[in-house]
Amino acid sequence: MEQEIQRIRENFFQEIQQVQSAKDVEAVRVKYLGRKGPVQQLFKQLGTLNPEDRPRVGKLLNTLRQELETAVKEKQQQFKTREKRERIDLSLPGRKPPVGRKHPLTQTLDEIKAIFTAMGFTVADGPEVETDYYNFEALNIPKNHPSRNMQDTLYITEDILLRTHTSPVQIRTMQSQQPPVRIIAPGRVYRRDTPDASHSPFFHQVEGLCVDHGISFADLKAVISEFARKMFGTDIKVRFRPSFFPFTEPSLEYDFNCVFCRGKGCKVCKYTGWMEISGAGMVDPNVFKAVGYDPETITGYAFGMGVDRIAMLKFGIDDIRLFFENDMRFLTQF
Ligand code: PHE
């Protein structure tokens, strides 16, 4: 009987070593410790032994049963914790989907729109694929006029092109309505520039146009100055310099105090204290004629504005190409 006990022990441990699942453990348990298993059988046979052998063998049997039970429990525990780990815990909080945000250019444009709509401007729109007529001809830039060299144009056909500025929206708006006109026209424009830190073959402008009886240069200066203060702060001054555009007369270019040094002079503004923004002027009588307005009774001003440039100043960005590379490391900073 003592040999039998040892044999059962060896067989049991060999089998329990190889179990693959909680089910296997249970099968081994039933096989060895169940009512019809060998351990119970031996307990039944105890009575057939000599009375003097009974206590010793009984003790051995009890030890065997305890060893087996402990081994079974340990295995069961192992599988329980493993299964728990593998189960999906539905009480865990879910993974947050990344929340998108507005592109820095869109943020800047939203701000520009808010400032001008507060001053009574509405937002107008026009096509990016334009005709020669709207982009040049109606804006007093006739064919073979040297000013067409000012802008390197991307032509689709001889007559159809990608607009080089938002000024054609001036023409489209005035053709479709009578004065008073007070619009801004934001949008993408295209030029044949080789990309570098300050050039991109496409960029964004906001056109401004205000036409009515008695509109003067003073109105233009006031609106541009108010924009500068609202956009960059009340201490920012505006400077107007004489210039030339075929569709405005007189024409000017305007600068804002450098937003980094606030006019004192620094590396960014090359120690001038000023940053060039864009051009503007009083609408040329020939433009009014092209849209059928009477230049004798109607006056107006127009201005341009570079959105990318303003965004670069606003956020302190030194390379325009960063806006268009879709690099999340850049975009998520704003
Ligand atoms: N369209 C001009 C440009 O792109 C800017 C401008 C707009 C100038 C309106 C005067 C009036 O450079």
Side-chain angles (χ1 to χ4, degrees), residues 282-302:
M282 299 307 290
V283 179
D284 192 286
N286 285 338
V287 173
F288 283 146
K289 278 183 206 154
V291 299
Y293 282 9
D294 178 9
E296 296 300 325
T297 57
I298 293 294
T299 54
Y301 62 81

Side-chain angles (χ1 to χ4, degrees), residues 114-126:
I115 293 169
F116 282 108
T117 52
M119 288 194 276
F121 288 78
T122 53
V123 179
D125 204 5

Side-chain angles (χ1 to χ4, degrees), residues 152-192:
D152 272 358
T153 306
L154 288 155
Y155 284 92
I156 291 167
T157 67
E158 211 176 298
D159 208 43
I160 298 170
L161 46 84
L162 297 180
R163 68 178 180 190
T164 58
H165 51 179
T166 43
S167 300
V169 186
Q170 288 188 36
I171 305 299
R172 291 182 175 276
T173 307
M174 288 191 282
Q175 276 183 346
S176 69
Q177 70 179 84
Q178 287 302 308
V181 174
R182 200 186 283 156
I183 55 125
I184 56 164
R188 197 175 259 202
V189 301
Y190 302 82
R191 291 184 197 177
R192 274 185 50 197

